[in-house]
Amino acid sequence: MKLTRDEVEHLGRLARLSLTEEEKAQYAAELSDILEFVEQLQEVDTTDVEPTSQVTGLEDVYREDAVRACDEETRKKIIAQFPEREGDLLKVPGVFE
Amino acid sequence: MNTITDIRKALDNRDISSQELTRQYLSRAKEKNPELNAFITICEDEAMRMAEDADIRMQKGVVGPLTGIPFGIKDAICTRDIRSTASAKVLDTYVPPFDATVIKKIRAQGGVIIGKQNCDAFGHGASNENSMYGPVKNPWDTERVPGGSSGGSAAAVAADMCVYSIAEDTGGSIRQPAAFCNLVGLRPSYGRNSRYGIMPMASSLDTVGPITKTVEDCAIVMEAIAGRDPFDATTVSDSVPAYTQLLHEDIRGVRIGIPREYIVNAREEVLQIIEKAADRLRGLGCEVMDVSLPHTKYAIAVYYVVVPCEDSSNQARMDGMRFGPRGRGANLEETYLQARVVGFPPEVKRRMMIGTFALSHGYYDAYYKKAQQVRTRMMRDFEDAFNKVDVLLAPTTPGPAFKIGEKVADPLAMYKEDVFVIPAAVAGLPAISVPGGFINNLPFGVQFIGPRLTEELILRVAHHFVL
């Protein structure tokens, strides 16, 4: 599978990556190589083979549905990480313009 | 050699205090770091505080196997109050408010954190060249890579800048650098150690484990960090065996299989090392035979579909909104783009786009689902092999450490470096790489792979093998 420059631009937009013209050309070539390489999976007969999404065999691991308080020191440390804030609130750009 | 075992004795005999020891390690780490670039952060003040605390514990007689011993941590693992970047600028200012569970366990014993180690950004790579904090040099030959993604963790132990490291292995990131730096590296079974606080790459494959100088040290660290964690729902409740004691039981009668697909195209020097290893194991009373894992050749293709898919979902959280530097854009979307364009190196971008593509409508079945089906067939290969043998012996890598810059222009060539470490990862199996010999004066590793949750067995075989 070959990816075009336009397809790479589209993928970049979906993944929230802004790409320069140079990058678009470079990634079109590199990603096409990778996709061509993984094409070999089509040789393998997987009729009636279940896909594996996890290997532990664990099922339905539950925990108690209870609220656990965060200690004050940790709370302050989390807030201190905010790139922008107003008081203890996280400030973000508006979602709707 | 400054092993955990030897240092424990010295500390317990009061030959040295943890503060003296930590000062020595800090000064060596600071002296060697400009050349090797193994650490992104050396946390001198925190280390000295932890050492002081460890000395008090030891005076009181509250001593665990790791009390007072300086260690390093891959920077993709969260450490409370110590900056954790994952080697990506998108997290340049991130100081976690919590410890990863495995780190919490070592801190609870009084372990001393020397610093945070350079790696490929978010664990993406096999050479440490995808770090946004510069490449790491291999202490055995500074023109060569230390391996990746946990390259800083291996280089730091090899240069004795710390006694051991805690690292992360998704497709080989512990074993391959351990092999390139003549060390021991264990990837545990998926589910054996908690990943809580490990920055996720591919959630169905990520594991955390030790890089050490000896197998005995590896067993000591595993005993400290393994076990179920309510914060990681994939951890299993099976009790943690006494690895350090079981290590010494003999290995007579253990059946060792050499998968022919791992040596069919091997270079002459690799074949010689594997033959020598087989002879050594026969001498120890093991039975060595040939086995087959027919789907080995598809491992890289499976991995480079499954990983980017899971990875692209996981990386969505890196948006500069809640932590790390925020971009400056005219609107929300521009702000996201800013944070991500300066914060991610090319390999992260490649993986996110491959993942976004493979998961998109119309392609899911052909890529992600197909890869997960081939993954099932690879797991069956291992099951068949483990009906005949107890443990597999294989080279860890196709060759020894390559030169810095040698493969950086060709992503596929870099991916192929992981051909022998990926299969065990895909199947969730434990695997340990140990020093196997030298090729052109460079270290070369061999690995032992066991069925799920047989860390005890592969540690024991590895221990007798290197003795």
Side-chain angles (χ1 to χ4, degrees), chain A residues 16 20 22 26 28 30 34 38 42 48 55 60-62 67-68 74 80-81 87 94 97:
Chain A
R16 295 289 182 271
T20 61
E22 209 175 88
Q26 185 198 335
E30 288 173 353
I34 296 168
V38 303
Q42 305 307 327
D48 299 326
V55 298
D60 299 337
V61 178
Y62 294 115
V67 177
R68 259 193 319 265
T74 304
Q81 294 298 316
E97 288 167 39

Side-chain angles (χ1 to χ4, degrees), chain A residues 5 14 24-25 35 38 43 45 85:
Chain A
R5 180 209 155 282
L14 291 175
K24 282 173 207 164
L35 289 175
V38 303
E43 299 163 20
D45 180 6
R85 53 194 273 208

Side-chain angles (χ1 to χ4, degrees), chain B residues 86-154:
Chain B
S87 298
K89 295 283 182 186
V90 76
L91 291 176
D92 190 51
T93 57
Y94 179 54
V95 180
F98 72 112
D99 275 324
T101 297
V102 291
I103 303 306
K104 201 173 178 176
K105 287 182 170 186
I106 298 174
R107 281 220 220 209
Q109 281 198 22
V112 175
I113 302 170
I114 286 279
K116 300 299 296 292
Q117 293 153 335
N118 205 340
C119 55
D120 287 295
F122 291 108
H124 298 166
S127 69
N128 220 117
E129 290 165 291
N130 294 329
S131 166
M132 294 181 94
Y133 296 82
V136 175
K137 312 279 173 65
N138 188 323
W140 288 84
D141 175 351
T142 52
E143 285 182 13
R144 291 177 189 269
V145 303
S149 64
S150 312
S153 303

Side-chain angles (χ1 to χ4, degrees), chain B residues 21-157:
Chain B
L21 182 71
T22 301
R23 238 175 257 123
Q24 285 175 12
Y25 271 93
L26 282 169
S27 93
R28 194 156 43 227
K30 284 194 292 186
E31 180 201 317
K32 291 186 175 175
N33 209 45
E35 188 187 11
L36 298 177
N37 200 25
F39 283 90
I40 289 177
T41 304
I42 296 176
C43 50
E44 195 165 0
D45 296 346
E46 289 90 343
M48 287 314 299
R49 273 201 297 277
M50 288 181 256
E52 195 185 337
D53 173 60
D55 282 332
I56 295 169
R57 282 166 191 262
M58 289 187 285
Q59 272 156 24
K60 290 185 186 156
V62 193
V63 183
L66 300 174
T67 310
I69 299 181
F71 71 111
I73 304 169
K74 184 178 186 176
D75 213 22
I77 299 176
C78 289
T79 43
R80 186 175 171 102
D81 301 337
I82 304 170
R83 180 169 79 133
S84 306
T85 68
S87 298
K89 295 283 182 186
V90 76
L91 291 176
D92 190 51
T93 57
Y94 179 54
V95 180
F98 72 112
D99 275 324
T101 297
V102 291
I103 303 306
K104 201 173 178 176
K105 287 182 170 186
I106 298 174
R107 281 220 220 209
Q109 281 198 22
V112 175
I113 302 170
I114 286 279
K116 300 299 296 292
Q117 293 153 335
N118 205 340
C119 55
D120 287 295
F122 291 108
H124 298 166
S127 69
N128 220 117
E129 290 165 291
N130 294 329
S131 166
M132 294 181 94
Y133 296 82
V136 175
K137 312 279 173 65
N138 188 323
W140 288 84
D141 175 351
T142 52
E143 285 182 13
R144 291 177 189 269
V145 303
S149 64
S150 312
S153 303
V157 176

Side-chain angles (χ1 to χ4, degrees), chain B residues 219-242:
Chain B
I220 294 170
V221 178
M222 271 302 288
E223 242 173 71
I225 64 176
R228 199 184 98 80
D229 177 14
F231 291 161
D232 178 355
T234 65
T235 49
V236 295
S237 53
D238 305 52
S239 62
V240 178

Side-chain angles (χ1 to χ4, degrees), chain B residues 166-400:
Chain B
I166 298 294
E168 178 277 334
D169 187 312
T170 299
S173 289
I174 287 176
R175 288 165 287 154
Q176 188 250 22
F180 280 6
C181 295
N182 210 36
L183 298 167
V184 175
L186 173 71
R187 173 199 167 86
S189 310
Y190 184 86
R192 178 73 284 185
N193 296 353
S194 166
R195 291 99 38 86
Y196 177 69
I198 315 297
M199 295 180 195
M201 187 214 297
S203 302
S204 77
L205 293 151
D206 296 344
T207 61
V208 57
I211 294 179
T212 58
K213 294 166 190 163
T214 64
V215 178
E216 191 171 25
D217 280 6
C218 184
I220 294 170
V221 178
M222 271 302 288
E223 242 173 71
I225 64 176
R228 199 184 98 80
D229 177 14
F231 291 161
D232 178 355
T234 65
T235 49
V236 295
S237 53
D238 305 52
S239 62
V240 178
Y243 299 123
T244 49
Q245 285 166 33
L246 295 164
L247 217 51
H248 303 287
E249 288 179 19
D250 77 62
I251 57 169
R252 257 187 287 274
V254 173
R255 297 167 303 167
I256 311 267
I258 301 177
R260 70 180 74 110
E261 291 79 6
Y262 285 58
I263 50 172
V264 65
N265 293 317
R267 48 198 270 197
E268 189 52 37
E269 301 101 310
V270 171
L271 287 177
Q272 281 169 12
I273 286 176
I274 294 296
E275 269 166 35
K276 228 178 93 192
D279 282 344
R280 164 133 186 88
L281 290 160
R282 278 189 208 100
L284 291 163
C286 298
E287 203 182 322
V288 182
M289 63 194 90
D290 163 80
V291 292
S292 174
L293 300 170
H295 293 87
T296 302
K297 68 180 234 192
Y298 299 108
I300 297 171
V302 168
Y303 187 80
Y304 280 99
V305 173
V306 173
V307 169
C309 287
E310 298 183 9
D311 216 347
S312 65
S313 306
N314 277 324
Q315 297 295 348
R317 78 191 69 191
M318 301 300 165
D319 57 7
M321 286 297 127
R322 291 146 299 155
F323 44 77
R326 181 177 288 177
R328 296 258 160 246
N331 54 33
L332 182 66
E333 182 159 350
E334 289 292 315
T335 309
Y336 285 147
L337 290 175
Q338 277 288 321
R340 291 161 73 85
V341 78
V342 295
F344 288 137
E347 181 59 21
V348 177
K349 295 180 188 175
R350 274 193 286 271
R351 292 193 189 195
M352 276 192 275
M353 287 190 279
I354 290 282
T356 302
F357 171 77
L359 289 175
S360 58
H361 184 70
Y363 293 109
Y364 177 87
D365 280 3
Y367 289 95
Y368 192 65
K369 188 176 170 203
K370 183 76 183 183
Q372 298 282 54
Q373 286 174 313
V374 180
R375 185 179 185 182
T376 306
R377 297 213 58 177
M378 289 180 66
M379 291 172 72
R380 287 190 195 152
D381 285 354
F382 278 110
E383 280 163 28
D384 292 345
F386 287 128
N387 281 330
K388 299 186 192 91
V389 298
D390 305 303
V391 175
L392 299 170
L393 163 70
T396 307
T397 57

